[in-house]
């Protein structure tokens, strides 16, 4: 199975900051990667798919980049609604896997 | 609007069984891959199983293979997950999610149903 790692596991930031989260795959997944946002007690919400495509309705302050084994989610000008946990998800193989998550918390 | 609603969760004893359902509305269910994803309390997301529109070529995570069975009824716009031989490690919120293709991201999720395995 393809293993996914994320860094950092926790990120402390302030409103207005630019933050980046890194996701690494144990082998190349081309661009078959998505990013989700999850708040406590809620279902995950799709933000980015195919590494860099912004899901409809998602604010443009969210962006994704990368290919192969290293990917980045960036949030420009962090807003109060953005404090949440973020997961990457590879779907290149039939055995899909998620990263362990990155919690973005208020500094 | 796409809507997915899971049901069937509850408290079950170790070794027991449970059947989860996911009712879909707002889209042509029969054309989409569907998935189950679970999340243990305080933990991350774990993909469990996927099923194509036709119901064949089903895939499972190794952790549930041989114990869980995914199925669907396109006429009823419903997805199911039969959980057998349950253990404490299966305690989780189970989400159904719509998949975009054979290898695709999940663009819509239900609110989840909690399965608790405890004696």
């Amino acid at each position: 199975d393809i293993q996914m790692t994320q860094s950092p596991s926790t990120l402390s930031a302030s409103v207005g900051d630019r933050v980046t989260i890194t996701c690494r795959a144990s082998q190349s997944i081309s661009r078959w990667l998505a990013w989700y946002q999850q708040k406590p007690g809620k279902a995950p919400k799709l933000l980015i798919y195919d590494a860099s495509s912004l899901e409809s309705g998602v604010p443009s302050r969210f962006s994704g980049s990368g290919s192969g084994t290293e990917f980045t989610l960036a949030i420009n000008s962090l807003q109060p609604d953005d404090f949440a946990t973020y997961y990457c998800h590879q779907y290149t193989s039939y055995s899909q896997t998620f990263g362990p998550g990155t919690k973005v918390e208020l500094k | 609007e796409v809507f997915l609603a899971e049901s069937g969760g509850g408290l079950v004893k170790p070794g027991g069984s449970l059947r989860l359902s996911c009712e879909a509305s707002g889209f042509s269910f029969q054309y989409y891959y569907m998935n189950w994803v679970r999340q243990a309390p305080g933990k991350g997301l774990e993909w469990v199983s996927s099923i194509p529109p036709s119901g064949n070529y089903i895939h499972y995570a190794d952790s549930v293979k041989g114990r869980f069975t995914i199925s669907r009824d396109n006429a009823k716009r419903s997805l199911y997950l039969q959980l057998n031989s349950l253990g404490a490690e299966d305690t989780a919120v189970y989400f159904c999610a719509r998949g975009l293709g054979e290898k695709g991201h999940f663009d819509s999720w239900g609110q989840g149903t909690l399965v608790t395995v405890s004696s």
Side-chain angles (χ1 to χ4, degrees), chain A residues 14-92:
Chain A
S14 301
V15 172
D17 285 352
R18 182 178 190 275
V19 302
T20 59
I21 299 169
T22 298
C23 175
R24 292 185 174 87
S26 59
Q27 64 189 73
S28 177
I29 57 171
S30 185
R31 295 177 60 82
W32 303 119
L33 185 106
W35 291 95
Y36 303 87
Q37 176 194 68
Q38 187 181 34
K39 296 180 179 179
K42 300 295 187 181
K45 174 188 173 183
L46 176 66
L47 301 174
I48 301 286
Y49 62 95
D50 296 349
S52 61
S53 295
L54 189 69
E55 172 70 350
S56 176
V58 173
S60 58
R61 63 180 179 274
F62 291 92
S63 64
S65 62
S67 66
T69 61
E70 188 159 330
F71 302 84
T72 300
L73 173 71
I75 312 173
N76 280 320
S77 187
L78 199 67
Q79 297 300 299
D81 191 49
D82 300 339
F83 293 98
T85 300
Y86 294 84
Y87 294 93
C88 61
H89 164 219
Q90 70 80 15
Y91 43 91
T92 190

Side-chain angles (χ1 to χ4, degrees), chain B residues 21-95:
Chain B
S21 299
C22 171
E23 189 171 334
S25 60
F27 67 101
S28 297
F29 178 80
Q30 70 270 29
Y31 297 130
Y32 284 86
Y33 279 74
M34 296 298 297
N35 302 267
W36 287 100
V37 176
R38 68 183 180 181
Q39 186 169 38
K43 303 297 184 184
L45 301 169
E46 179 188 16
W47 169 78
V48 172
S49 182
S50 65
I51 185 168
S54 61
N56 57 1
Y57 301 111
I58 286 169
H59 301 281
Y60 297 99
D62 287 344
S63 58
V64 307
K65 203 171 292 183
R67 301 187 300 120
F68 290 9
T69 303
I70 191 173
S71 62
R72 64 191 295 161
D73 185 332
N74 288 339
K76 293 184 177 179
R77 307 170 63 85
S78 292
L79 174 72
Y80 306 102
L81 187 67
Q82 178 68 39
L83 290 67
N84 295 332
S85 303
L86 286 163
E89 69 278 9
D90 298 313
T91 293
V93 174
Y94 286 73
F95 297 99

Side-chain angles (χ1 to χ4, degrees), chain B residues 8-14 16-18 20 41 83 86-94 113-119:
Chain B
L11 177 63
V12 61
K13 288 181 168 53
S17 297
L18 211 55
L20 308 182
L83 290 67
L86 286 163
E89 69 278 9
D90 298 313
T91 293
V93 174
Y94 286 73
T113 188
L114 176 62
V115 172
T116 303
V117 184
S118 175
S119 54

